[in-house]
Amino acid sequence: AVELKVEMVGIREKRLRKCLSKLKGIEKVEVDANSEKVVVTGYAHRNKILKAVRRGGLKADFWSVQNELLCAYASPSYGGLGFNNF
């Protein structure tokens, strides 16, 4: 599975799925709009998946440990420690 961070501001999930539907080898696409995390399952190359999403005009990058930390701080379950406090 390939994990991507995709900027979902004003973007519909349908558009994202359309970008990926053109690639061969993709079996499943899971989208978590809140954390902007997209998990693509299949046997397509990770770079091709990223390029397809970017070609669709979306800002995307590979998911990293840094993104996990940002989501933890931005989530309401952490007592509202959001980006507003910085």
Side-chain angles (χ1 to χ4, degrees):
V2 177
E3 296 182 344
L4 300 172
K5 177 171 177 54
V6 181
E7 207 172 279
M8 302 296 276
V9 180
I11 289 166
R12 299 216 168 86
E13 196 177 314
K14 197 174 180 182
R15 183 173 163 195
L16 174 70
R17 290 181 186 276
K18 191 178 178 185
C19 297
L20 293 170
S21 68
K22 295 171 187 169
L23 279 182
K24 289 179 182 173
I26 291 180
E27 294 163 5
K28 193 166 106 181
V29 177
E30 294 172 66
V31 179
D32 181 351
N34 295 332
S35 64
E36 299 186 331
K37 186 174 188 175
V38 178
V39 181
V40 181
T41 310
Y43 53 89
H45 194 278
R46 56 185 275 153
N47 290 340
K48 284 188 177 180
I49 293 170
L50 183 63
K51 276 184 185 172
V53 174
R54 285 180 173 170
R55 218 176 290 132
L58 308 176
K59 285 185 182 177
D61 243 307
F62 292 117
W63 191 265
S64 67
V65 177
Q66 199 174 8
N67 293 333
E68 292 286 351
L69 293 171
L70 286 174
C71 285
Y73 283 114
S75 81
S77 61
Y78 275 77
L81 286 175
F83 296 112
N84 303 342
N85 299 347
F86 293 105

